[in-house]
Amino acid sequence: MTTSIRIVGGNPLKGSIRIRGAKNAALPLMTAALLTDETLTLTNVPCLTDIQTMAELLAQHGVYINHTPGSYTYELKAQTITNTTAPYDLVSKMRASILVLGPLLARCGQAKVSLPGGCAIGTRPVDIHLNGLKQLGAHIELSEGYIHASAPNGLVGANVTMPLVSVTATENLMMAATLAKGETRLINAAREPEVVDLANCLIAMGARITGAGTDSIIIEGVSHLHKATHDVLPDRIETGTYAMAAIITDGDLELTHTSLSLIPSITSVLQQAGADIQATTNGVRVKASLSPIIGVDVMTEPYPGFATDLQAQIMAIMTICQGASMITETIFENRFMHVPELCRMGANITVHNSSALVRGVPYLSGAQVMATDLRASVCLVLAGLAARGETTISRIYHLDRGYEKLEEKLCNCGASIERIAA
Ligand code: EPZ
């Protein structure tokens, strides 16, 4: 049975929303369990379908997973890895599955991982992952849609310069390097907070890592890693998304268990647009001090630049801005699929290659729209919250991959939103 979300727009959001652990930190953190035969305990793990998929993938590798449904704590123990193959049916459901490659190679000296294939937002190759592992001494062959990787004598530290800033390639190589012989330098490394969170967890497990959060990470290989407990950092994309929900509905929201320090570029763009964003003792308070907001140009960049995962959301709020906003997507080649859906709601957006010119309109009108990928789906929710009349969003399984209890959280703040069987 497919489900949709129905929203009647126009209600300002007021109240408090608790931000949970970051999906894009929890996923690599779960694969780090493969690096040791002892227990890795993760707390503040969000309840999302992507997390369940990762748990399923690790379990078929032989990882023992102790998790009570509905709890935010996972205990993972890879005492023995019984299977080093990551199959197509799981990898094709979630690209982040590629993150088992480095740990399996480092722990077992071999791995057979399905090539993730493309996805809605781009071709998303994994060449940087594979070339980096080759430089660490792995032998890599591609055949029948699978990556066949082996390092029978173990991995050896090396200087690896990544041609593009890649978040999961940085994470894969950093994890592989923790058990390599000697020193590895990752140059042009991703600086995302999720990379730093993973490094902190690996260090707690006994890894020797310096420079995480900068573009040059140094890992001194060790013989083994041990048990640790790690609290997943707050989700900066969830934080930015709900901040924009407050703004587009002319509301006033407190976001708890998060921090303004996680969203520096988002904050500066929203403040330029006329939003009032303040740090509070336990998080962030956001309200639209200017209504409508002022159009501001945005360009997505690797952290600490404006996050590509918030590009669709900022576009939603700019559709009803004063003036116009030029939004340029520099990370992925096809991340404007939300544009035609927003235009069905009355937005005025013109796309030229990797830039979208958003001319503000007085209001959006509710319509039937379709979610295409995770962040595009939540952009349509934001648009629906502000639109006049009723919006129905189909294919919302995309939403459940990255947003926990979204309707419940919005309902509690005054939104008229419900899930319906479509
Ligand atoms: C991570 O994906 C995130 N996923 C993405 O979030 C996020 O959009 C992206 O980083 C950018 O911030 C997770 O962390 C699980 P990249 P990742 O490698 O690592 C190219 C979401 O909505 N590239 O940093 O796959 C790539 O095509 C998801 O939560 C290569 O060319 O992204 C892209 O153009 C969507 N070769 C650029 O680099 C490679 O080997 C950056 O991609 C790897 C990447």
Side-chain angles (χ1 to χ4, degrees):
M1 175 193 69
T2 57
T3 49
S4 294
I5 274 186
R6 179 165 52 204
I7 303 169
V8 176
N11 304 359
L13 294 180
K14 294 192 187 301
S16 169
I17 293 179
R18 174 177 181 145
I19 300 299
R20 287 291 174 185
K23 164 178 84 78
N24 290 348
L27 292 171
L29 285 165
M30 290 172 78
T31 64
L34 292 165
L35 291 165
T36 176
D37 58 2
E38 299 182 22
T39 302
L40 175 60
T41 302
L42 298 174
T43 55
N44 198 29
V45 178
C47 289
L48 301 168
T49 50
D50 270 9
I51 299 295
Q52 289 161 12
T53 304
M54 182 58 85
E56 204 181 321
L57 176 66
L58 293 174
Q60 64 93 43
H61 285 308
V63 179
Y64 169 73
I65 296 176
N66 180 18
H67 170 248
T68 309
S71 105
Y72 293 99
T73 298
Y74 276 76
E75 288 180 351
L76 303 109
K77 184 169 188 177
Q79 184 148 7
T80 315
I81 292 174
T82 54
N83 163 40
T84 56
T85 296
Y88 174 73
D89 64 314
L90 285 172
V91 177
S92 56
K93 272 166 73 175
M94 184 186 61
R95 306 181 40 72
S97 307
I98 189 73
L99 285 163
V100 301
L101 179 59
L104 285 174
L105 253 184
R107 175 84 184 277
C108 309
Q110 65 173 30
K112 179 184 170 190
V113 176
S114 169
L115 276 164
C119 80
I121 62 177
T123 54
R124 301 188 72 184
V126 290
D127 55 310
I128 301 174
H129 299 245
L130 303 184
N131 292 335
L133 289 169
K134 282 181 195 165
Q135 288 180 262
L136 294 179
H139 176 68
I140 306 264
E141 265 187 34
L142 302 184
S143 74
E144 296 165 3
Y146 276 82
I147 301 162
H148 299 262
S150 66
N153 305 317
L155 297 171
V156 179
N159 289 349
V160 178
T161 298
M162 290 176 278
L164 264 175
V165 174
S166 164
V167 175
T168 49
T170 300
E171 292 166 344
N172 234 337
L173 296 175
M174 182 166 70
M175 286 193 281
T178 58
L179 297 178
K181 295 180 193 68
E183 180 183 273
T184 296
R185 286 173 183 266
L186 300 181
I187 297 141
N188 198 26
R191 297 161 54 188
E192 273 67 5
E194 293 75 33
V195 173
V196 176
D197 206 46
L198 175 62
N200 290 339
C201 178
L202 292 168
I203 291 165
M205 294 166 71
R208 295 171 60 187
I209 301 172
T210 55
T214 74
D215 62 0
S216 176
I217 301 177
I218 301 174
I219 305 104
E220 186 61 44
V222 294
S223 57
H224 78 286
L225 297 182
H226 53 68
K227 68 183 176 186
T229 296
H230 181 80
D231 194 53
V232 178
L233 95 164
D235 193 322
R236 61 193 169 95
I237 305 304
E238 196 186 18
T239 302
T241 301
Y242 286 119
M244 292 188 214
I247 293 164
I248 201 169
T249 60
D250 206 2
D252 181 351
L253 280 183
E254 173 155 26
L255 308 178
T256 66
H257 299 82
T258 185
S259 163
L260 212 50
S261 64
L262 287 170
I263 49 170
S265 297
I266 311 322
T267 302
S268 84
V269 166
L270 295 179
Q271 285 171 338
Q272 287 171 54
D276 176 7
I277 298 188
Q278 305 292 335
T280 62
T281 46
N282 186 20
V284 177
R285 183 166 179 196
V286 190
K287 51 186 177 185
S289 53
L290 253 189
S291 177
I293 56 169
I294 298 165
V296 173
D297 292 349
V298 173
M299 179 178 283
T300 65
E301 291 172 305
Y303 193 85
F306 193 96
T308 175
D309 292 351
L310 285 166
Q311 179 257 105
Q313 296 91 314
I314 194 84
M315 188 181 290
I317 72 172
M318 289 299 168
T319 58
I320 51 174
C321 73
Q322 286 174 56
S325 162
M326 173 72 86
I327 297 176
T328 303
E329 171 59 56
T330 71
I331 308 291
F332 292 111
E333 65 267 30
N334 184 32
R335 205 169 196 178
F336 282 148
M337 286 164 299
H338 40 286
V339 169
E341 302 304 307
L342 288 170
C343 291
R344 287 175 51 71
M345 299 176 73
N348 178 348
I349 307 171
T350 313
V351 173
H352 290 290
N353 298 325
S354 63
S355 287
L357 179 59
V358 184
R359 293 181 174 88
V361 294
Y363 58 86
L364 294 177
S365 302
Q368 287 179 297
V369 291
M370 184 175 76
T372 50
D373 62 270
L374 166 56
R375 306 304 176 180
S377 53
V378 84
C379 141
L380 298 173
V381 171
L382 297 186
L385 291 171
R388 291 182 180 179
E390 183 175 291
T391 298
T392 307
I393 306 169
S394 62
R395 301 192 182 180
I396 52 132
Y397 55 85
H398 292 290
L399 210 59
D400 298 330
R401 294 189 52 186
Y403 290 92
E404 179 187 326
K405 297 178 187 156
L406 179 113
E407 309 97 86
E408 189 180 314
K409 291 178 176 176
L410 293 173
C411 259
N412 292 341
C413 294
S416 169
I417 178 171
E418 59 179 335
R419 194 169 286 235
I420 53 175

